[in-house]
Amino acid sequence: MLHPNQFDVNEAWIAFQLNSTPVKTDLDGDFNCVSLMDAASCFMLSSTLIPATNKIEPSQLEARRLLKQAWAHHQTYPARLILPHGQFATHLATAAKKLGIEVVNMPEVDLLPVIGEAREGFEEYLQSGDEH
């Protein structure tokens, strides 16, 4: 299990799907939200909505954009990018490796102590939007 105190700020970023079920829109269909978080501070560095039909995999352009937006906060990339096993293995992993970032795969359950609160907050936000 990961814990934020295991890291220094900007040492490792975690990529994960923020939503548990697709975000539904009337005009554009369903989306998943892919996010990058700093493992130490739990600061959300960047996120993007991708069509749910993409099987939770950002395109090459979306992957590069996620990393570039995250880079903008400290103008540096982390030593490691942590990915949940079986997710983001194509474009995001490739883009990170091209930037010299080590890609580490872990079981998603081991990431929950770090990403769980962000997921809960996002779900609450979505639910509060349904009430208005």
Side-chain angles (χ1 to χ4, degrees), residues 7-132:
F7 302 96
D8 291 324
V9 172
N10 217 44
E11 174 186 349
W13 295 348
I14 301 171
F16 65 102
Q17 181 179 329
L18 189 57
N19 55 304
S20 59
T21 59
V23 177
K24 298 188 180 303
T25 67
D26 292 333
L27 296 176
D28 297 315
D30 298 347
F31 291 88
N32 288 310
C33 185
V34 176
S35 298
L36 287 178
M37 172 187 279
D38 179 74
S41 66
C42 297
F43 181 77
M44 297 295 286
L45 297 162
S46 64
S47 61
T48 190
L49 292 174
I50 60 171
T53 56
N54 287 11
K55 299 181 183 178
I56 316 168
E57 176 73 30
S59 68
Q60 285 181 316
L61 177 63
E62 291 163 333
R64 288 193 309 266
R65 187 178 301 134
L66 267 173
L67 291 165
K68 185 176 180 180
Q69 288 172 345
W71 174 88
H73 293 280
H74 294 283
Q75 288 77 48
T76 187
Y77 288 109
R80 288 177 295 192
L81 176 63
I82 302 169
L83 304 177
H85 276 303
Q87 294 182 35
F88 318 119
T90 306
H91 303 303
L92 189 55
T94 299
K97 289 175 186 175
K98 284 182 180 178
L99 294 168
I101 302 169
E102 176 189 8
V103 175
V104 177
N105 292 285
M106 296 186 73
E108 188 170 23
V109 68
D110 291 346
L111 305 176
L112 291 177
V114 180
I115 66 172
E117 190 172 324
R119 278 186 170 168
E120 289 172 18
F122 190 70
E123 292 299 324
E124 288 176 15
Y125 170 77
L126 291 177
Q127 290 173 1
S128 70
D130 290 342
E131 296 169 4
H132 295 106

